[in-house]
Amino acid sequence: MSGGLPRRIVKETQRLLAEPVPGIKATPHEENARYFDVFVDGPKESPFEKGCFKLELFLPEEYPMSPPKVRFNTKIYHPNIDKLGRICLDILKDKWSPALQIRTVLLSIQALLSAPNPDDPLANDVAELWKTNEAKAIETARQWTHMYAVNKS
Amino acid sequence: MRTEIIFSADQAHKSSTRLLLFFRIHIYIREQHKTYTCTTYNIRTMLSYQFMGKQKKQQCNSLGNNSVKIRRVDKAFEPYRQAFIHGDIQQQSYIINEFVSSLVAAEYAKLTEERGYCMEKCLPIEEIFTCNLCRELLHVPVTLVCGHTFCLECLGNYEREGRTMCPGCGQESNLHYTSNIVVRELSRICFPEKTSIRNCIVEANNLLRERKMEEFMELTKNLLTKYPENVDLLHLRANGYQCLKSYSDALNVLDFACTLAPFCTKVLYARGELLASIDEPEEAMVMFLRASALKPNDLTYRGRLTSCLEKPLRNICNSSELCSPSSSYNADHEATTKRVLKGLPVKSEPNFDESTTTAQNMSRRRPACINEDGQVGHRNVAVTMNSNEHAFTTDSTDHRGDPTCRTDATEKTVDTLMDQDRSCYKKEETKNISQCQRVSCIQRNIIVPPKSNIPSELECKLCFNLLYEPVTTSCGHSFCRACLERCLDHRFHCPCCRTNLQSYLEHFIMKNVGTCKVLESLCLLKFKDEYQTRRLAYEKELLDFSRCESNKDEIPIFVCTLAVPDIACPLHIFEPRYKLMIRRCIESGSRQFGMCAPDPEQTFATVGTMLHINDVNFLPDGRSVVHTVGSRRFQVLERGLQDGYNTAKVAWLQDECDESDYTKLNCEVYNMMIQWFEKLPSEQKICIVKAVGRLPDALQGTNENGPSWLWWLLVAMPLNHEAKQIILSMTSITERLNSAKRFLAILLSRL
């Protein structure tokens, strides 16, 4: 009864690899299939455009009953993502539903990049600037994207 | 007298050929079953017509050729008639019932004999998607808590009659339901045309109900140009004509429908009702008879037949002169009757002449056949003729295969669909994955998800497998029972739409929730092997769960407190993972799990006790109070995790055989304990008894765990967990007694 990867995780991984979401790449670690390296492209017409953000995603033992754990590895200037890369997203917390999948979670994160929500902040200083001087905040986000998320090579 | 009766028989049933034939067969059957004499006898005694009865009986027995058989028809009708005239109301109803039964039986036999079958045959897959209230393709399917599915509208009508339980099983349910999404989608995929027609019919029906006749006629006309041979549409249009009081049109349409589906009781019945309403009771009766024979259990059909039969019987009784409302056709009928009586057209193979006359009859009787619809009208007439020929003649081989053909055709379509499925699947396999994705997207309506022939609709949204024991929530989403149960352990909301399912959960806890029969049948029909695999996997999971004998078996561990052998340990279960664990304990029948105290370094302590579940009380919100009692002790060898709760491979702990006599020590420590307990303040005593239970008897205990009172003492004594843990792991009674003695001495000194 114990051990082995649940069929759901196997199938999700297969489908993610076979039918990837545009702008999102998720590959499981070879030694731990519950651990994924994720690359999310910054959405067009957002300050994160042209950036490629690295995230890590982990499926806990109780997945899909409990949500996956996701964190940004690339530094990002965003009111809902803090210095440690933690993400403030309802579906990753109390709004999680077992019918959601890795795919939908990553899509939601991509959408979060398109539509920052400074009213529900995680990084207070960023949210403050976003509310008081949005233009400057967006400019900073663009700079950060260029500094940390654009592959210069 | 005889001609009169024959004439009355004819009068009662214009299509005398047919009816006389029924009578003939009826008598034939009766004779075969040796009941004829009996019936005659009954009627005879009832009426005291002894002489007459005898005469009949003799006649019946002696004559056997065709013409005589035909002559018996009036002989059969005669006793019934006589009985009817002379009987009181009770007898009359008995007689008419008898008469109806024999007529239906004869018609049933005739249908079975001639067509090879007589019930409306349904493909298994169609049957699955049929509402048991309206016998139509499910429209807005709603699945009740018990798992039965009906059309939303049918259920609404049913409820309007004041009934709140399930029409299928009688289970009460008070939930508000929405359409079963999976069933709706699957029916759309499996029967695309039928579903769209069904939707249109419902729409048209609503128009009809609201008396928006213009719109209704427009809609049905358009639909009929698209699907000219759809019986349901024709039926509906006939209803519309009836509402507009244009009966001839209605009859035309229904005649055509009857040709298309000579075994469709609904159409036959509708035609019968129509004929009855336009004062053609004789033909109406034939329709009702046919419908009753096709569905012998339907009381509506039988009731209509009875009332139809009653009228002519009474009429004959009451009138000495026979009134002939349609006297203009008497010539025709007389001719037919005579021929029948001569025994010529027994098999009534309609020759050209006859059909022409029938056709003429019809056009004469219903001049509106050629109406503003022009061509359609003509066609209908033509088909009507045909229909009368082959639907009702007794032995016309030409049309024998007709309904079967239709069934075959439908069968083929569905099979082709499923074949397409398979071939698609095969084709796809050979292509590379991304290509097959695209193909599957394009051919979504042929239900092929990538790399699997299980349609995505039948896949559980939680475990990504074929639905196993599918249950449907009140919001219309379907999941495997076990998957949904696990979700509800965590939160009350539907995983798909977040609808609050608290009242549904109560049904779940009461074990009222049944598997969705439609989905289960479909899985079993189309994916039997996969379903079987799922069942085996599920059963194996439970079996593995319940096995805890060898040290290779992993036992579930509840990490909460220190439990000891023989002592009760009541638990309040509220954590999702333990809800799951307790459910598995009950479902697998093992009814036991390991209890270990938490350990900050290793999650849980190395030594624990198995707890046996005596009783579980579920609370409406899914929490439960579990009454358990300790049994074996174990030492943890290896720790694991399963679906959120801990597991362990263990070695069982047993007391070593103690050679030395510990009776004296046992007595001594027991007395010390009594002394300590007695000295406690009474509130504390009550508290201890409440929490640990009453002090076990001094002699109670087992070989492997020693005396029970010592375990009671271990829980009751104010000791730290580490010390208790050490005593729990001791496998020598003497050692345990000595430790207890030491602690008791300290406690006693403090009191």
Side-chain angles (χ1 to χ4, degrees):
Chain A
M1 175 159 171
S2 72
L5 210 55
R7 207 176 141 84
R8 158 150 176 171
I9 296 181
V10 175
K11 281 198 175 178
E12 266 199 69
T13 311
Q14 277 175 356
R15 287 176 197 185
L16 265 175
L17 296 175
E19 203 177 353
V21 193
I24 295 175
K25 209 176 95 189
T27 33
H29 276 205
E30 266 178 35
E31 65 276 19
N32 185 356
R34 286 176 176 272
Y35 197 91
F36 288 76
D37 279 328
V38 182
F39 291 95
V40 176
D41 290 345
K44 275 188 181 144
E45 285 159 34
S46 79
F48 312 103
E49 196 178 343
K50 290 184 186 141
C52 180
F53 298 86
K54 185 175 183 289
L55 292 88
E56 53 185 12
L57 183 144
F58 177 70
L59 304 174
E61 169 67 24
E62 277 205 82
Y63 179 83
M65 292 304 145
S66 47
K69 294 183 177 6
V70 198
R71 201 171 73 90
F72 270 83
N73 279 351
T74 310
K75 264 177 87 94
I76 181 166
Y77 193 81
H78 192 288
N80 308 106
I81 300 160
D82 73 0
K83 274 184 229 161
L84 299 171
R86 293 178 299 190
I87 307 163
C88 177
L89 188 60
D90 56 356
I91 60 154
L92 290 177
K93 298 188 171 77
D94 56 324
K95 288 283 159 61
W96 169 252
S97 153
L100 295 169
Q101 311 171 20
I102 301 174
R103 175 187 302 272
T104 42
V105 164
L106 294 179
L107 276 169
S108 301
I109 291 173
Q110 205 178 29
L112 188 70
L113 295 185
S114 291
N117 179 10
D119 294 323
D120 184 18
L122 194 64
N124 277 322
D125 50 331
V126 181
E128 201 52 42
L129 186 64
W130 217 282
K131 277 201 268 194
T132 50
N133 189 349
E134 199 180 331
K136 195 178 173 206
I138 288 174
E139 189 45 44
T140 318
R142 201 167 277 138
Q143 280 171 9
W144 280 43
T145 306
H146 191 74
M147 272 197 290
Y148 304 110
V150 176
N151 194 349
K152 273 131 194 162
S153 63
Chain B
M1 175 71 175
R2 218 189 71 191
T3 35
E4 185 196 287
I5 294 157
I6 294 166
F7 191 56
S8 31
D10 181 33
Q11 192 63 54
H13 321 285
K14 265 193 198 161
S15 38
S16 50
T17 325
R18 231 157 35 236
L19 198 87
L20 288 175
L21 218 81
F22 298 159
F23 279 63
R24 182 171 60 80
I25 293 165
H26 156 60
I27 299 300
Y28 179 69
I29 288 168
R30 289 255 146 178
E31 195 180 45
Q32 278 203 329
H33 290 96
K34 308 275 181 229
T35 50
Y36 179 72
T37 39
C38 198
T39 320
T40 327
Y41 182 77
N42 279 343
I43 296 163
R44 189 187 60 197
T45 42
M46 224 187 319
L47 306 173
S48 321
Y49 270 26
Q50 286 192 8
F51 178 68
M52 206 179 130
K54 264 182 197 165
Q55 208 178 23
K56 275 193 185 54
K57 194 179 140 193
Q58 277 167 0
Q59 276 174 348
C60 290
N61 290 342
S62 60
L63 302 169
N65 64 46
N66 249 358
S67 60
V68 180
K69 267 185 193 162
I70 292 157
R71 225 179 291 155
R72 275 189 201 160
V73 172
D74 59 78
K75 297 232 167 60
F77 200 74
E78 173 64 9
Y80 284 120
R81 191 182 76 87
Q82 292 289 355
F84 210 82
I85 300 166
H86 295 274
D88 59 26
I89 292 174
Q90 210 183 350
Q91 283 167 336
Q92 279 183 347
S93 68
Y94 170 78
I95 289 158
I96 199 147
N97 217 342
E98 218 10 43
F99 197 16
V100 168
S101 296
S102 50
L103 280 176
V104 170
E107 180 74 359
Y108 183 90
K110 190 189 120 200
L111 286 163
T112 320
E113 208 172 90
E114 285 167 13
R115 301 278 176 186
Y117 71 96
C118 77
M119 290 321 190
E120 281 176 60
K121 258 194 186 167
C122 219
L123 291 170
I125 189 156
E126 270 181 65
E127 183 61 38
I128 290 173
F129 284 101
T130 300
C131 166
N132 257 333
L133 285 173
C134 63
R135 297 299 303 158
E136 300 277 347
L137 186 69
L138 283 163
H139 179 257
V140 193
V142 163
T143 304
L144 301 177
V145 164
C146 53
H148 292 102
T149 309
F150 303 95
C151 307
L152 181 65
E153 201 188 342
C154 294
L155 213 59
N157 293 338
Y158 190 78
E159 275 168 15
R160 231 163 283 139
E161 289 166 28
R163 291 175 284 191
T164 54
M165 66 280 189
C166 164
C169 63
Q171 186 179 308
E172 285 284 344
S173 74
N174 50 357
L175 297 180
H176 175 78
Y177 292 99
T178 40
S179 160
N180 184 328
I181 293 154
V182 176
V183 173
R184 196 183 60 199
E185 284 304 297
L186 283 170
S187 112
R188 196 177 54 78
I189 290 163
C190 292
F191 313 100
E193 192 182 289
K194 252 186 142 179
T195 315
S196 70
I197 297 177
R198 181 87 169 96
N199 289 342
C200 295
I201 286 179
V202 170
E203 192 190 330
N205 239 328
N206 289 337
L207 289 173
L208 186 64
R209 205 173 302 137
E210 292 160 21
R211 287 285 178 275
K212 290 179 180 163
M213 295 315 291
E214 262 174 46
E215 287 165 59
F216 170 83
M217 293 315 271
E218 186 63 32
L219 178 65
T220 45
K221 197 179 158 191
N222 289 342
L223 286 171
L224 275 171
T225 24
K226 212 168 156 192
Y227 312 104
E229 299 205 339
N230 185 287
V231 175
D232 294 323
L233 275 174
L234 290 166
H235 180 206
L236 193 65
R237 189 155 171 95
N239 283 348
Y241 277 131
Q242 248 177 302
C243 281
L244 293 168
K245 301 219 174 346
S246 101
Y247 295 116
S248 50
D249 289 336
L251 199 58
N252 260 341
V253 173
L254 281 179
D255 284 348
F256 183 47
C258 275
T259 332
L260 293 170
F263 290 109
C264 175
T265 49
K266 197 178 68 182
V267 175
L268 291 171
Y269 180 71
R271 190 164 181 267
E273 284 290 357
L274 177 63
L275 287 164
S277 69
I278 56 170
D279 207 23
E280 301 240 15
E282 300 82 5
E283 274 200 54
M285 200 192 75
V286 175
M287 293 294 117
F288 294 139
L289 175 57
R290 217 176 152 77
S292 314
L294 285 164
K295 288 223 178 117
N297 296 329
D298 197 310
L299 292 178
T300 332
Y301 301 152
R302 200 188 157 97
R304 288 297 280 131
L305 175 62
T306 312
S307 66
C308 269
L309 207 60
E310 212 169 351
K311 219 173 159 189
L313 272 174
R314 276 189 209 289
N315 278 347
I316 297 158
C317 300
N318 298 341
S319 56
S320 50
E321 278 178 14
L322 288 155
C323 56
S324 44
S326 44
S327 51
S328 50
Y329 311 115
N330 275 354
D332 281 355
H333 289 285
E334 238 168 322
T336 348
T337 320
K338 269 178 196 161
R339 235 189 305 173
V340 174
L341 287 174
K342 276 181 206 154
L344 289 171
V346 178
K347 295 212 164 182
S348 99
E349 205 84 33
N351 55 30
F352 181 73
D353 281 312
E354 200 183 62
S355 51
T356 323
T357 4
T358 334
Q360 278 168 356
N361 267 350
M362 294 217 177
S363 41
R364 240 191 301 162
R365 213 168 38 186
R366 305 166 205 138
C369 274
I370 301 140
N371 55 11
E372 78 273 0
D373 280 348
Q375 284 217 300
V376 183
H378 271 303
R379 188 178 173 194
N380 281 358
V381 181
V383 188
T384 312
M385 267 168 49
N386 256 344
S387 97
N388 269 12
E389 262 174 51
H390 80 86
F392 305 123
T393 47
T394 52
D395 200 12
S396 71
T397 30
D398 307 17
H399 309 284
R400 187 175 282 185
D402 193 16
T404 347
C405 265
R406 280 179 58 74
T407 328
D408 281 351
T410 347
E411 203 151 358
K412 248 175 231 164
T413 355
V414 178
D415 270 359
T416 329
L417 187 85
M418 288 298 173
D419 275 346
Q420 264 175 311
D421 252 25
R422 263 168 248 134
S423 61
C424 260
Y425 170 48
K426 271 174 208 156
K427 245 184 269 164
E428 271 178 27
E429 267 191 326
T430 57
K431 293 175 185 171
N432 68 42
I433 298 171
S434 68
Q435 231 176 336
C436 101
Q437 295 301 326
R438 225 169 299 136
V439 173
S440 86
C441 280
I442 298 159
Q443 303 187 332
R444 190 135 188 87
N445 56 341
I446 329 175
I447 46 177
V448 196
K451 294 199 85 181
S452 153
N453 55 348
I454 296 167
S456 62
E457 283 78 10
L458 279 181
E459 192 178 76
C460 173
K461 297 282 173 292
L462 301 173
C463 66
F464 286 31
N465 286 312
L466 177 70
L467 285 166
Y468 176 65
E469 292 191 346
V471 291
T472 304
T473 60
S474 45
C475 52
H477 294 98
S478 303
F479 310 95
C480 306
R481 174 193 295 277
C483 291
L484 182 62
E485 266 179 330
R486 275 196 74 184
C487 281
L488 293 176
D489 285 344
H490 288 257
R491 43 192 92 73
F492 303 140
H493 301 110
C494 171
C496 282
C497 65
R498 298 189 203 278
T499 304
N500 190 320
L501 292 178
Q502 205 154 357
S503 37
Y504 182 78
L505 175 67
E506 283 174 34
H507 283 280
F508 234 112
I509 288 157
M510 308 273 286
K511 303 269 174 240
N512 281 342
V513 175
T515 47
C516 174
K517 308 291 178 292
V518 174
L519 292 176
E520 192 185 38
S521 318
L522 193 68
C523 290
L524 280 169
L525 183 74
K526 291 290 168 197
F527 308 99
K528 202 176 169 195
D529 293 345
E530 287 88 339
Y531 199 77
Q532 196 62 24
T533 316
R534 288 280 282 135
R535 185 199 304 281
L536 291 175
Y538 183 73
E539 281 166 4
K540 185 176 179 297
E541 200 181 83
L542 280 185
L543 190 73
D544 286 350
F545 178 90
S546 64
R547 258 207 310 249
C548 51
E549 281 317 308
S550 95
N551 54 13
K552 279 180 190 149
D553 297 327
E554 226 158 307
I555 58 166
I557 300 289
F558 197 123
V559 181
C560 178
T561 178
L562 179 116
V564 295
D566 303 331
I567 304 300
C569 181
L571 295 165
H572 173 204
I573 311 291
F574 57 91
E575 269 188 75
R577 52 181 176 162
Y578 293 131
K579 286 183 193 168
L580 172 68
M581 191 171 105
I582 296 295
R583 197 166 52 244
R584 284 181 175 166
C585 284
I586 301 294
E587 265 178 42
S588 67
S590 78
R591 298 185 75 93
Q592 58 177 342
F593 55 88
M595 171 62 87
C596 286
D599 183 307
E601 279 160 31
Q602 303 165 286
T603 331
F604 54 92
T606 335
V607 176
T609 309
M610 290 303 282
L611 288 179
H612 184 87
I613 301 173
N614 283 338
D615 187 30
V616 185
N617 292 325
F618 285 101
L619 305 174
D621 60 1
R623 290 178 299 141
S624 55
V625 176
V626 183
H627 297 281
T628 64
V629 63
S631 56
R632 288 184 283 182
R633 288 172 290 155
F634 58 81
Q635 176 148 27
V636 175
L637 302 175
E638 205 181 307
R639 290 172 169 80
L641 260 181
Q642 175 73 49
D643 298 324
Y645 57 79
N646 294 286
T647 59
K649 289 181 181 166
V650 298
W652 302 111
L653 288 180
Q654 278 187 23
D655 279 349
E656 293 146 12
C657 281
D658 211 331
E659 297 296 322
S660 62
D661 187 12
Y662 56 86
T663 331
K664 203 180 144 207
L665 182 64
N666 189 33
C667 267
E668 190 187 339
V669 184
Y670 186 80
N671 288 335
M672 279 173 83
M673 172 188 69
I674 299 288
Q675 206 183 340
W676 163 73
F677 190 64
E678 289 304 320
K679 277 190 181 172
L680 286 176
S682 58
E683 307 90 67
Q684 219 168 325
K685 276 192 218 165
I686 294 166
C687 271
I688 289 175
V689 171
K690 257 190 184 167
V692 193
R694 286 163 52 120
L695 174 65
D697 196 70
L699 298 171
Q700 199 184 314
T702 57
N703 278 340
E704 58 183 49
N705 293 322
S708 304
W709 65 262
L710 193 54
W711 297 119
W712 183 90
L713 175 66
L714 185 63
V715 182
M717 260 195 306
L719 278 184
N720 65 25
H721 261 290
E722 288 76 21
K724 288 187 181 186
Q725 204 70 51
I726 291 165
I727 298 179
L728 180 70
S729 63
M730 289 174 177
T731 48
S732 149
I733 298 175
T734 329
E735 210 180 325
R736 276 205 304 277
L737 284 169
N738 278 325
S739 313
K741 189 180 163 186
R742 239 184 356 258
F743 284 118
L744 278 171
I746 298 167
L747 288 171
L748 281 167
S749 68
R750 283 184 191 167
L751 282 167

